[in-house]
Amino acid sequence: MKRYTIMIIDDEAQMRKLIRTFLEKEGYTVVEATDGAHALSLVEKFSPHLFIVDVMMPYMDGFTFASEVKNIADIPLIFLSAKGEEWDKIQGLKLGGDDYIVKPFLPGELLARVESVLRRSYNDKPTTDTLKVGPIVIDNDAHTVTLNGEPLSLTLKEFGVLNILAKNKGRVYSREQLLHLVWGEDHQSSERTVDTHIKTLRLKMGSAGSMIETVWGIGYKLEG
């Protein structure tokens, strides 16, 4: 995958950190800015391929930033906002926004929108997103899993947990990390929910279920 640089522009440090985590796991280079004015001062230095911009910010809001940056660079832009009103979406698109995402959002939704905008903007040909770990093959495009060549029927959350563990084989994830990555930052689920999904995954995987290892006192990892 081409090494894209994405600039996150948001006055909330926690939101910047959250988005940064999602993007860096997918191989993107990430630059942060705290508001529109700060972002404008960094454009020439970092030459980002995409902006992810919060609409409501002090000093210079997202809409003002969009108007200003188009005078100096032709870079695609995704708006983020807690406001989902039709007028705001139309305003953002009129100002040159390539997409508009309403908070809260799931990590998978953000990543899919980012990939789509980058593909359209830089004429990237979509590639097959397939991951193989031992006897497990995960096709993210088709959202399917096979085990020893046989289809494995998983729920959406089971797929998400297995996918995260497989993408980072050998890395230990805490239950809380898995909740944030699969269920989303505003989840209301307890850590026991993760344990239940891991138990079900292991059962469905049969003897291969032992590939999902428990790291006592921390969480889970996948070995293959």
Side-chain angles (χ1 to χ4, degrees), residues 67-104:
S67 298
E68 293 288 332
V69 78
K70 291 300 180 184
N71 294 324
I72 60 174
D74 184 17
I75 298 171
L77 186 152
I78 296 176
F79 284 111
L80 293 180
S81 179
K83 299 170 68 177
E85 284 83 358
E86 192 70 19
W87 184 89
D88 292 287
K89 293 181 180 180
I90 293 172
Q91 179 71 359
L93 295 174
K94 279 185 175 180
L95 286 170
D98 295 87
D99 209 338
Y100 190 107
I101 304 176
V102 178
K103 301 177 184 177

PDB file of all heavy atoms in Angstrom, residues 67-104:
ATOM      1  N   SER A  67     -12.327  26.351   3.365  1.00  0.00           N
ATOM      2  CA  SER A  67     -12.310  27.479   2.420  1.00  0.00           C
ATOM      3  C   SER A  67     -10.893  28.003   2.206  1.00  0.00           C
ATOM      4  O   SER A  67     -10.499  28.335   1.082  1.00  0.00           O
ATOM      5  CB  SER A  67     -13.201  28.612   2.945  1.00  0.00           C
ATOM      6  OG  SER A  67     -14.537  28.190   3.054  1.00  0.00           O
ATOM      7  N   GLU A  68     -10.129  28.078   3.304  1.00  0.00           N
ATOM      8  CA  GLU A  68      -8.777  28.634   3.233  1.00  0.00           C
ATOM      9  C   GLU A  68      -7.804  27.688   2.540  1.00  0.00           C
ATOM     10  O   GLU A  68      -6.996  28.112   1.708  1.00  0.00           O
ATOM     11  CB  GLU A  68      -8.280  28.949   4.649  1.00  0.00           C
ATOM     12  CG  GLU A  68      -9.025  30.062   5.352  1.00  0.00           C
ATOM     13  CD  GLU A  68      -8.713  31.430   4.778  1.00  0.00           C
ATOM     14  OE1 GLU A  68      -7.602  31.614   4.241  1.00  0.00           O
ATOM     15  OE2 GLU A  68      -9.582  32.315   4.848  1.00  0.00           O
ATOM     16  N   VAL A  69      -7.866  26.404   2.887  1.00  0.00           N
ATOM     17  CA  VAL A  69      -6.852  25.472   2.388  1.00  0.00           C
ATOM     18  C   VAL A  69      -6.986  25.243   0.888  1.00  0.00           C
ATOM     19  O   VAL A  69      -5.993  24.961   0.203  1.00  0.00           O
ATOM     20  CB  VAL A  69      -6.914  24.136   3.161  1.00  0.00           C
ATOM     21  CG1 VAL A  69      -8.066  23.251   2.684  1.00  0.00           C
ATOM     22  CG2 VAL A  69      -5.584  23.385   3.035  1.00  0.00           C
ATOM     23  N   LYS A  70      -8.193  25.378   0.351  1.00  0.00           N
ATOM     24  CA  LYS A  70      -8.383  25.173  -1.086  1.00  0.00           C
ATOM     25  C   LYS A  70      -7.652  26.226  -1.913  1.00  0.00           C
ATOM     26  O   LYS A  70      -7.425  26.045  -3.103  1.00  0.00           O
ATOM     27  CB  LYS A  70      -9.878  25.196  -1.428  1.00  0.00           C
ATOM     28  CG  LYS A  70     -10.662  23.998  -0.887  1.00  0.00           C
ATOM     29  CD  LYS A  70     -10.149  22.669  -1.417  1.00  0.00           C
ATOM     30  CE  LYS A  70     -10.940  21.504  -0.870  1.00  0.00           C
ATOM     31  NZ  LYS A  70     -10.397  20.184  -1.311  1.00  0.00           N
ATOM     32  N   ASN A  71      -7.263  27.347  -1.256  1.00  0.00           N
ATOM     33  CA  ASN A  71      -6.522  28.396  -1.963  1.00  0.00           C
ATOM     34  C   ASN A  71      -5.042  28.066  -2.109  1.00  0.00           C
ATOM     35  O   ASN A  71      -4.334  28.690  -2.910  1.00  0.00           O
ATOM     36  CB  ASN A  71      -6.661  29.736  -1.222  1.00  0.00           C
ATOM     37  CG  ASN A  71      -8.087  30.250  -1.243  1.00  0.00           C
ATOM     38  OD1 ASN A  71      -8.801  30.087  -2.231  1.00  0.00           O
ATOM     39  ND2 ASN A  71      -8.512  30.872  -0.148  1.00  0.00           N
ATOM     40  N   ILE A  72      -4.572  27.093  -1.305  1.00  0.00           N
ATOM     41  CA  ILE A  72      -3.138  26.802  -1.346  1.00  0.00           C
ATOM     42  C   ILE A  72      -2.817  25.356  -1.738  1.00  0.00           C
ATOM     43  O   ILE A  72      -1.684  25.041  -2.101  1.00  0.00           O
ATOM     44  CB  ILE A  72      -2.471  27.106   0.015  1.00  0.00           C
ATOM     45  CG1 ILE A  72      -3.102  26.252   1.134  1.00  0.00           C
ATOM     46  CG2 ILE A  72      -2.571  28.576   0.349  1.00  0.00           C
ATOM     47  CD1 ILE A  72      -2.393  26.407   2.470  1.00  0.00           C
ATOM     48  N   ALA A  73      -3.815  24.456  -1.643  1.00  0.00           N
ATOM     49  CA  ALA A  73      -3.539  23.057  -1.979  1.00  0.00           C
ATOM     50  C   ALA A  73      -4.828  22.341  -2.350  1.00  0.00           C
ATOM     51  O   ALA A  73      -5.895  22.639  -1.807  1.00  0.00           O
ATOM     52  CB  ALA A  73      -2.875  22.348  -0.797  1.00  0.00           C
ATOM     53  N   ASP A  74      -4.709  21.414  -3.280  1.00  0.00           N
ATOM     54  CA  ASP A  74      -5.862  20.612  -3.690  1.00  0.00           C
ATOM     55  C   ASP A  74      -5.740  19.240  -3.025  1.00  0.00           C
ATOM     56  O   ASP A  74      -5.198  18.291  -3.603  1.00  0.00           O
ATOM     57  CB  ASP A  74      -5.900  20.481  -5.214  1.00  0.00           C
ATOM     58  CG  ASP A  74      -7.140  19.733  -5.688  1.00  0.00           C
ATOM     59  OD1 ASP A  74      -8.099  19.614  -4.898  1.00  0.00           O
ATOM     60  OD2 ASP A  74      -7.151  19.253  -6.839  1.00  0.00           O
ATOM     61  N   ILE A  75      -6.221  19.154  -1.801  1.00  0.00           N
ATOM     62  CA  ILE A  75      -6.081  17.949  -0.992  1.00  0.00           C
ATOM     63  C   ILE A  75      -7.474  17.503  -0.534  1.00  0.00           C
ATOM     64  O   ILE A  75      -8.255  18.330  -0.041  1.00  0.00           O
ATOM     65  CB  ILE A  75      -5.183  18.214   0.237  1.00  0.00           C
ATOM     66  CG1 ILE A  75      -3.779  18.623  -0.221  1.00  0.00           C
ATOM     67  CG2 ILE A  75      -5.116  16.978   1.144  1.00  0.00           C
ATOM     68  CD1 ILE A  75      -2.882  19.117   0.901  1.00  0.00           C
ATOM     69  N   PRO A  76      -7.813  16.227  -0.700  1.00  0.00           N
ATOM     70  CA  PRO A  76      -9.142  15.763  -0.279  1.00  0.00           C
ATOM     71  C   PRO A  76      -9.357  15.943   1.223  1.00  0.00           C
ATOM     72  O   PRO A  76      -8.397  15.984   2.004  1.00  0.00           O
ATOM     73  CB  PRO A  76      -9.158  14.289  -0.686  1.00  0.00           C
ATOM     74  CG  PRO A  76      -7.731  13.899  -0.836  1.00  0.00           C
ATOM     75  CD  PRO A  76      -7.007  15.133  -1.286  1.00  0.00           C
ATOM     76  N   LEU A  77     -10.625  16.016   1.592  1.00  0.00           N
ATOM     77  CA  LEU A  77     -10.972  16.382   2.961  1.00  0.00           C
ATOM     78  C   LEU A  77     -12.220  15.637   3.427  1.00  0.00           C
ATOM     79  O   LEU A  77     -13.212  15.550   2.693  1.00  0.00           O
ATOM     80  CB  LEU A  77     -11.188  17.894   3.004  1.00  0.00           C
ATOM     81  CG  LEU A  77     -11.430  18.605   4.318  1.00  0.00           C
ATOM     82  CD1 LEU A  77     -10.938  20.058   4.207  1.00  0.00           C
ATOM     83  CD2 LEU A  77     -12.912  18.604   4.674  1.00  0.00           C
ATOM     84  N   ILE A  78     -12.155  15.080   4.616  1.00  0.00           N
ATOM     85  CA  ILE A  78     -13.312  14.430   5.238  1.00  0.00           C
ATOM     86  C   ILE A  78     -13.688  15.228   6.478  1.00  0.00           C
ATOM     87  O   ILE A  78     -12.842  15.476   7.345  1.00  0.00           O
ATOM     88  CB  ILE A  78     -13.009  12.971   5.642  1.00  0.00           C
ATOM     89  CG1 ILE A  78     -12.707  12.112   4.414  1.00  0.00           C
ATOM     90  CG2 ILE A  78     -14.179  12.373   6.431  1.00  0.00           C
ATOM     91  CD1 ILE A  78     -12.294  10.681   4.751  1.00  0.00           C
ATOM     92  N   PHE A  79     -14.948  15.644   6.557  1.00  0.00           N
ATOM     93  CA  PHE A  79     -15.419  16.361   7.731  1.00  0.00           C
ATOM     94  C   PHE A  79     -15.900  15.389   8.804  1.00  0.00           C
ATOM     95  O   PHE A  79     -16.518  14.357   8.499  1.00  0.00           O
ATOM     96  CB  PHE A  79     -16.580  17.293   7.367  1.00  0.00           C
ATOM     97  CG  PHE A  79     -16.180  18.552   6.662  1.00  0.00           C
ATOM     98  CD1 PHE A  79     -16.515  18.752   5.332  1.00  0.00           C
ATOM     99  CD2 PHE A  79     -15.461  19.537   7.323  1.00  0.00           C
ATOM    100  CE1 PHE A  79     -16.148  19.911   4.665  1.00  0.00           C
ATOM    101  CE2 PHE A  79     -15.084  20.702   6.663  1.00  0.00           C
ATOM    102  CZ  PHE A  79     -15.441  20.890   5.332  1.00  0.00           C
ATOM    103  N   LEU A  80     -15.629  15.741  10.064  1.00  0.00           N
ATOM    104  CA  LEU A  80     -16.180  15.029  11.214  1.00  0.00           C
ATOM    105  C   LEU A  80     -17.051  15.993  11.988  1.00  0.00           C
ATOM    106  O   LEU A  80     -16.691  17.164  12.158  1.00  0.00           O
ATOM    107  CB  LEU A  80     -15.059  14.549  12.151  1.00  0.00           C
ATOM    108  CG  LEU A  80     -14.088  13.477  11.688  1.00  0.00           C
ATOM    109  CD1 LEU A  80     -13.092  13.192  12.814  1.00  0.00           C
ATOM    110  CD2 LEU A  80     -14.822  12.210  11.318  1.00  0.00           C
ATOM    111  N   SER A  81     -18.196  15.528  12.454  1.00  0.00           N
ATOM    112  CA  SER A  81     -19.056  16.417  13.225  1.00  0.00           C
ATOM    113  C   SER A  81     -20.016  15.626  14.094  1.00  0.00           C
ATOM    114  O   SER A  81     -20.450  14.530  13.730  1.00  0.00           O
ATOM    115  CB  SER A  81     -19.855  17.339  12.295  1.00  0.00           C
ATOM    116  OG  SER A  81     -20.703  18.178  13.050  1.00  0.00           O
ATOM    117  N   ALA A  82     -20.325  16.190  15.262  1.00  0.00           N
ATOM    118  CA  ALA A  82     -21.350  15.603  16.125  1.00  0.00           C
ATOM    119  C   ALA A  82     -22.736  16.010  15.632  1.00  0.00           C
ATOM    120  O   ALA A  82     -23.746  15.489  16.088  1.00  0.00           O
ATOM    121  CB  ALA A  82     -21.148  16.074  17.564  1.00  0.00           C
ATOM    122  N   LYS A  83     -22.761  16.934  14.668  1.00  0.00           N
ATOM    123  CA  LYS A  83     -24.028  17.418  14.112  1.00  0.00           C
ATOM    124  C   LYS A  83     -24.324  16.691  12.800  1.00  0.00           C
ATOM    125  O   LYS A  83     -23.533  16.753  11.871  1.00  0.00           O
ATOM    126  CB  LYS A  83     -23.956  18.922  13.868  1.00  0.00           C
ATOM    127  CG  LYS A  83     -23.705  19.737  15.125  1.00  0.00           C
ATOM    128  CD  LYS A  83     -23.409  21.182  14.792  1.00  0.00           C
ATOM    129  CE  LYS A  83     -24.621  21.887  14.240  1.00  0.00           C
ATOM    130  NZ  LYS A  83     -24.363  23.317  13.966  1.00  0.00           N
ATOM    131  N   GLY A  84     -25.459  16.021  12.765  1.00  0.00           N
ATOM    132  CA  GLY A  84     -25.795  15.255  11.576  1.00  0.00           C
ATOM    133  C   GLY A  84     -26.876  15.895  10.730  1.00  0.00           C
ATOM    134  O   GLY A  84     -27.471  15.247   9.870  1.00  0.00           O
ATOM    135  N   GLU A  85     -27.153  17.204  10.978  1.00  0.00           N
ATOM    136  CA  GLU A  85     -28.206  17.878  10.220  1.00  0.00           C
ATOM    137  C   GLU A  85     -27.855  17.949   8.739  1.00  0.00           C
ATOM    138  O   GLU A  85     -26.689  18.095   8.354  1.00  0.00           O
ATOM    139  CB  GLU A  85     -28.433  19.300  10.753  1.00  0.00           C
ATOM    140  CG  GLU A  85     -29.210  19.347  12.051  1.00  0.00           C
ATOM    141  CD  GLU A  85     -28.329  19.113  13.261  1.00  0.00           C
ATOM    142  OE1 GLU A  85     -27.117  18.881  13.059  1.00  0.00           O
ATOM    143  OE2 GLU A  85     -28.839  19.153  14.396  1.00  0.00           O
ATOM    144  N   GLU A  86     -28.879  17.888   7.908  1.00  0.00           N
ATOM    145  CA  GLU A  86     -28.694  17.903   6.461  1.00  0.00           C
ATOM    146  C   GLU A  86     -27.967  19.160   6.003  1.00  0.00           C
ATOM    147  O   GLU A  86     -27.100  19.099   5.121  1.00  0.00           O
ATOM    148  CB  GLU A  86     -30.061  17.798   5.774  1.00  0.00           C
ATOM    149  CG  GLU A  86     -29.985  17.522   4.275  1.00  0.00           C
ATOM    150  CD  GLU A  86     -29.489  16.111   3.984  1.00  0.00           C
ATOM    151  OE1 GLU A  86     -29.553  15.251   4.873  1.00  0.00           O
ATOM    152  OE2 GLU A  86     -29.027  15.895   2.848  1.00  0.00           O
ATOM    153  N   TRP A  87     -28.290  20.304   6.615  1.00  0.00           N
ATOM    154  CA  TRP A  87     -27.667  21.567   6.191  1.00  0.00           C
ATOM    155  C   TRP A  87     -26.160  21.517   6.368  1.00  0.00           C
ATOM    156  O   TRP A  87     -25.407  21.977   5.499  1.00  0.00           O
ATOM    157  CB  TRP A  87     -28.226  22.739   6.988  1.00  0.00           C
ATOM    158  CG  TRP A  87     -27.672  24.068   6.521  1.00  0.00           C
ATOM    159  CD1 TRP A  87     -28.162  24.888   5.554  1.00  0.00           C
ATOM    160  CD2 TRP A  87     -26.459  24.696   6.997  1.00  0.00           C
ATOM    161  NE1 TRP A  87     -27.346  25.980   5.386  1.00  0.00           N
ATOM    162  CE2 TRP A  87     -26.299  25.897   6.257  1.00  0.00           C
ATOM    163  CE3 TRP A  87     -25.514  24.370   7.956  1.00  0.00           C
ATOM    164  CZ2 TRP A  87     -25.232  26.762   6.473  1.00  0.00           C
ATOM    165  CZ3 TRP A  87     -24.434  25.236   8.163  1.00  0.00           C
ATOM    166  CH2 TRP A  87     -24.302  26.417   7.423  1.00  0.00           C
ATOM    167  N   ASP A  88     -25.700  20.949   7.496  1.00  0.00           N
ATOM    168  CA  ASP A  88     -24.268  20.894   7.761  1.00  0.00           C
ATOM    169  C   ASP A  88     -23.563  20.017   6.723  1.00  0.00           C
ATOM    170  O   ASP A  88     -22.465  20.344   6.251  1.00  0.00           O
ATOM    171  CB  ASP A  88     -24.017  20.339   9.171  1.00  0.00           C
ATOM    172  CG  ASP A  88     -24.492  21.293  10.243  1.00  0.00           C
ATOM    173  OD1 ASP A  88     -23.840  22.328  10.453  1.00  0.00           O
ATOM    174  OD2 ASP A  88     -25.528  21.011  10.864  1.00  0.00           O
ATOM    175  N   LYS A  89     -24.183  18.895   6.388  1.00  0.00           N
ATOM    176  CA  LYS A  89     -23.584  18.002   5.394  1.00  0.00           C
ATOM    177  C   LYS A  89     -23.484  18.690   4.040  1.00  0.00           C
ATOM    178  O   LYS A  89     -22.457  18.622   3.357  1.00  0.00           O
ATOM    179  CB  LYS A  89     -24.407  16.723   5.267  1.00  0.00           C
ATOM    180  CG  LYS A  89     -24.385  15.856   6.509  1.00  0.00           C
ATOM    181  CD  LYS A  89     -25.213  14.594   6.292  1.00  0.00           C
ATOM    182  CE  LYS A  89     -25.212  13.716   7.530  1.00  0.00           C
ATOM    183  NZ  LYS A  89     -26.000  12.486   7.359  1.00  0.00           N
ATOM    184  N   ILE A  90     -24.577  19.379   3.645  1.00  0.00           N
ATOM    185  CA  ILE A  90     -24.587  20.087   2.360  1.00  0.00           C
ATOM    186  C   ILE A  90     -23.530  21.184   2.344  1.00  0.00           C
ATOM    187  O   ILE A  90     -22.789  21.350   1.368  1.00  0.00           O
ATOM    188  CB  ILE A  90     -25.988  20.679   2.072  1.00  0.00           C
ATOM    189  CG1 ILE A  90     -26.989  19.536   1.849  1.00  0.00           C
ATOM    190  CG2 ILE A  90     -25.943  21.606   0.872  1.00  0.00           C
ATOM    191  CD1 ILE A  90     -28.424  19.997   1.754  1.00  0.00           C
ATOM    192  N   GLN A  91     -23.439  21.936   3.447  1.00  0.00           N
ATOM    193  CA  GLN A  91     -22.444  23.000   3.547  1.00  0.00           C
ATOM    194  C   GLN A  91     -21.033  22.448   3.410  1.00  0.00           C
ATOM    195  O   GLN A  91     -20.193  23.000   2.692  1.00  0.00           O
ATOM    196  CB  GLN A  91     -22.586  23.717   4.895  1.00  0.00           C
ATOM    197  CG  GLN A  91     -21.592  24.845   5.141  1.00  0.00           C
ATOM    198  CD  GLN A  91     -21.848  26.072   4.296  1.00  0.00           C
ATOM    199  OE1 GLN A  91     -22.777  26.094   3.482  1.00  0.00           O
ATOM    200  NE2 GLN A  91     -21.031  27.089   4.467  1.00  0.00           N
ATOM    201  N   GLY A  92     -20.772  21.336   4.092  1.00  0.00           N
ATOM    202  CA  GLY A  92     -19.446  20.725   4.010  1.00  0.00           C
ATOM    203  C   GLY A  92     -19.092  20.282   2.612  1.00  0.00           C
ATOM    204  O   GLY A  92     -17.977  20.504   2.131  1.00  0.00           O
ATOM    205  N   LEU A  93     -20.052  19.653   1.923  1.00  0.00           N
ATOM    206  CA  LEU A  93     -19.797  19.183   0.562  1.00  0.00           C
ATOM    207  C   LEU A  93     -19.641  20.355  -0.402  1.00  0.00           C
ATOM    208  O   LEU A  93     -18.834  20.304  -1.337  1.00  0.00           O
ATOM    209  CB  LEU A  93     -20.927  18.256   0.115  1.00  0.00           C
ATOM    210  CG  LEU A  93     -21.034  16.944   0.920  1.00  0.00           C
ATOM    211  CD1 LEU A  93     -22.273  16.169   0.501  1.00  0.00           C
ATOM    212  CD2 LEU A  93     -19.787  16.095   0.766  1.00  0.00           C
ATOM    213  N   LYS A  94     -20.395  21.433  -0.184  1.00  0.00           N
ATOM    214  CA  LYS A  94     -20.281  22.618  -1.036  1.00  0.00           C
ATOM    215  C   LYS A  94     -18.904  23.264  -0.905  1.00  0.00           C
ATOM    216  O   LYS A  94     -18.387  23.864  -1.853  1.00  0.00           O
ATOM    217  CB  LYS A  94     -21.363  23.638  -0.676  1.00  0.00           C
ATOM    218  CG  LYS A  94     -22.731  23.339  -1.281  1.00  0.00           C
ATOM    219  CD  LYS A  94     -23.698  24.464  -0.969  1.00  0.00           C
ATOM    220  CE  LYS A  94     -25.041  24.257  -1.669  1.00  0.00           C
ATOM    221  NZ  LYS A  94     -25.994  25.352  -1.379  1.00  0.00           N
ATOM    222  N   LEU A  95     -18.316  23.136   0.284  1.00  0.00           N
ATOM    223  CA  LEU A  95     -17.011  23.738   0.528  1.00  0.00           C
ATOM    224  C   LEU A  95     -15.864  22.850   0.029  1.00  0.00           C
ATOM    225  O   LEU A  95     -14.699  23.148   0.265  1.00  0.00           O
ATOM    226  CB  LEU A  95     -16.836  24.010   2.028  1.00  0.00           C
ATOM    227  CG  LEU A  95     -17.648  25.187   2.573  1.00  0.00           C
ATOM    228  CD1 LEU A  95     -17.596  25.209   4.091  1.00  0.00           C
ATOM    229  CD2 LEU A  95     -17.121  26.505   2.004  1.00  0.00           C
ATOM    230  N   GLY A  96     -16.214  21.763  -0.651  1.00  0.00           N
ATOM    231  CA  GLY A  96     -15.186  20.910  -1.224  1.00  0.00           C
ATOM    232  C   GLY A  96     -14.883  19.659  -0.435  1.00  0.00           C
ATOM    233  O   GLY A  96     -13.927  18.938  -0.756  1.00  0.00           O
ATOM    234  N   GLY A  97     -15.681  19.392   0.612  1.00  0.00           N
ATOM    235  CA  GLY A  97     -15.472  18.175   1.377  1.00  0.00           C
ATOM    236  C   GLY A  97     -15.767  16.944   0.522  1.00  0.00           C
ATOM    237  O   GLY A  97     -16.689  16.949  -0.281  1.00  0.00           O
ATOM    238  N   ASP A  98     -14.972  15.898   0.690  1.00  0.00           N
ATOM    239  CA  ASP A  98     -15.163  14.674  -0.088  1.00  0.00           C
ATOM    240  C   ASP A  98     -16.054  13.677   0.637  1.00  0.00           C
ATOM    241  O   ASP A  98     -16.562  12.735   0.032  1.00  0.00           O
ATOM    242  CB  ASP A  98     -13.805  14.032  -0.381  1.00  0.00           C
ATOM    243  CG  ASP A  98     -12.949  14.912  -1.279  1.00  0.00           C
ATOM    244  OD1 ASP A  98     -12.232  15.778  -0.750  1.00  0.00           O
ATOM    245  OD2 ASP A  98     -13.027  14.737  -2.502  1.00  0.00           O
ATOM    246  N   ASP A  99     -16.232  13.874   1.944  1.00  0.00           N
ATOM    247  CA  ASP A  99     -17.115  13.014   2.719  1.00  0.00           C
ATOM    248  C   ASP A  99     -17.432  13.712   4.034  1.00  0.00           C
ATOM    249  O   ASP A  99     -16.764  14.685   4.414  1.00  0.00           O
ATOM    250  CB  ASP A  99     -16.474  11.642   2.979  1.00  0.00           C
ATOM    251  CG  ASP A  99     -17.507  10.528   3.120  1.00  0.00           C
ATOM    252  OD1 ASP A  99     -18.682  10.841   3.438  1.00  0.00           O
ATOM    253  OD2 ASP A  99     -17.160   9.363   2.905  1.00  0.00           O
ATOM    254  N   TYR A 100     -18.438  13.199   4.736  1.00  0.00           N
ATOM    255  CA  TYR A 100     -18.898  13.818   5.983  1.00  0.00           C
ATOM    256  C   TYR A 100     -19.316  12.684   6.915  1.00  0.00           C
ATOM    257  O   TYR A 100     -20.212  11.913   6.594  1.00  0.00           O
ATOM    258  CB  TYR A 100     -20.083  14.742   5.685  1.00  0.00           C
ATOM    259  CG  TYR A 100     -20.526  15.638   6.817  1.00  0.00           C
ATOM    260  CD1 TYR A 100     -20.254  17.010   6.792  1.00  0.00           C
ATOM    261  CD2 TYR A 100     -21.237  15.143   7.903  1.00  0.00           C
ATOM    262  CE1 TYR A 100     -20.681  17.848   7.814  1.00  0.00           C
ATOM    263  CE2 TYR A 100     -21.658  15.975   8.932  1.00  0.00           C
ATOM    264  CZ  TYR A 100     -21.376  17.331   8.881  1.00  0.00           C
ATOM    265  OH  TYR A 100     -21.801  18.149   9.895  1.00  0.00           O
ATOM    266  N   ILE A 101     -18.633  12.566   8.055  1.00  0.00           N
ATOM    267  CA  ILE A 101     -18.912  11.487   8.999  1.00  0.00           C
ATOM    268  C   ILE A 101     -19.441  12.066  10.304  1.00  0.00           C
ATOM    269  O   ILE A 101     -18.868  13.011  10.852  1.00  0.00           O
ATOM    270  CB  ILE A 101     -17.648  10.659   9.288  1.00  0.00           C
ATOM    271  CG1 ILE A 101     -17.057  10.109   7.986  1.00  0.00           C
ATOM    272  CG2 ILE A 101     -17.961   9.515  10.251  1.00  0.00           C
ATOM    273  CD1 ILE A 101     -15.748   9.366   8.181  1.00  0.00           C
ATOM    274  N   VAL A 102     -20.535  11.498  10.783  1.00  0.00           N
ATOM    275  CA  VAL A 102     -21.150  11.975  12.018  1.00  0.00           C
ATOM    276  C   VAL A 102     -20.612  11.172  13.204  1.00  0.00           C
ATOM    277  O   VAL A 102     -20.558   9.946  13.176  1.00  0.00           O
ATOM    278  CB  VAL A 102     -22.686  11.855  11.948  1.00  0.00           C
ATOM    279  CG1 VAL A 102     -23.318  12.322  13.260  1.00  0.00           C
ATOM    280  CG2 VAL A 102     -23.227  12.681  10.781  1.00  0.00           C
ATOM    281  N   LYS A 103     -20.181  11.881  14.244  1.00  0.00           N
ATOM    282  CA  LYS A 103     -19.736  11.233  15.486  1.00  0.00           C
ATOM    283  C   LYS A 103     -20.970  10.790  16.286  1.00  0.00           C
ATOM    284  O   LYS A 103     -21.986  11.491  16.266  1.00  0.00           O
ATOM    285  CB  LYS A 103     -18.926  12.202  16.340  1.00  0.00           C
ATOM    286  CG  LYS A 103     -17.669  12.765  15.691  1.00  0.00           C
ATOM    287  CD  LYS A 103     -17.019  13.761  16.646  1.00  0.00           C
ATOM    288  CE  LYS A 103     -15.805  14.436  16.043  1.00  0.00           C
ATOM    289  NZ  LYS A 103     -15.226  15.446  16.950  1.00  0.00           N
ATOM    290  N   PRO A 104     -20.875   9.701  17.035  1.00  0.00           N
ATOM    291  CA  PRO A 104     -19.755   8.760  17.092  1.00  0.00           C
ATOM    292  C   PRO A 104     -19.783   7.820  15.888  1.00  0.00           C
ATOM    293  O   PRO A 104     -20.830   7.604  15.289  1.00  0.00           O
ATOM    294  CB  PRO A 104     -20.028   7.980  18.384  1.00  0.00           C
ATOM    295  CG  PRO A 104     -21.517   7.998  18.517  1.00  0.00           C
ATOM    296  CD  PRO A 104     -21.957   9.339  17.977  1.00  0.00           C
TER     297      PRO A 104
END
